């Protein structure tokens, strides 16, 4: 059994809802290590997890990294980043 984008997305969602921002960021790192393509959905969920964990600097840092990942932020992404502040 190998994790895929769907598996990681489900983990991110669970960690976001469970206020487990460190684990959400770890999931993103693991996705990169497994050479899975990050999506705006997975990154937005991680930003939202940072927001819920009152880690606004990490959320904003992730928002800034999206350009380097060639990802276009959407309304959900911006709302999560704004809420983090």
């Amino acid at each position: 059994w190998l994790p895929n984008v769907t598996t990681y997305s489900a983990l991110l969602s669970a960690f976001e809802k469970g206020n487990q921002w460190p684990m959400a960021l770890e999931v993103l790192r693991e996705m990169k290590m497994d050479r899975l393509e990050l999506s705006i959905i997975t990154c937005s969920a991680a930003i939202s997890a940072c927001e819920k964990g009152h880690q606004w600097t990490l959320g904003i840092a992730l928002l800034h990294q999206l350009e380097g990942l060639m990802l276009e932020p959407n309304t959900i992404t911006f709302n999560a980043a704004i809420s983090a502040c």
Side-chain angles (χ1 to χ4, degrees):
W1 177 81
L2 292 174
N4 58 28
V5 174
T6 303
T7 307
Y8 282 119
S9 294
L11 280 172
L12 276 168
S13 179
F15 290 139
E16 172 196 355
K17 288 177 176 70
N19 198 20
Q20 297 292 317
W21 64 268
M23 296 303 295
L25 295 179
E26 182 60 30
V27 167
L28 285 185
R29 280 191 277 285
E30 287 183 25
M31 288 181 75
K32 288 180 187 178
M33 287 176 34
D34 288 345
R35 295 194 169 120
L36 293 173
E37 188 173 329
L38 299 179
S39 71
I40 197 61
I41 294 168
T42 55
C43 290
S44 294
I47 291 170
S48 184
C50 290
E51 174 259 320
K52 290 179 179 168
H54 306 287
Q55 301 297 316
W56 67 269
T57 55
L58 295 174
I60 298 301
L62 184 52
L63 178 66
H64 285 292
Q65 291 176 19
L66 295 180
E67 184 177 356
L69 296 170
M70 309 299 271
L71 295 174
E72 184 76 28
N74 59 24
T75 304
I76 294 168
T77 312
F78 286 124
N79 282 342
I82 289 167
S83 294
C85 296

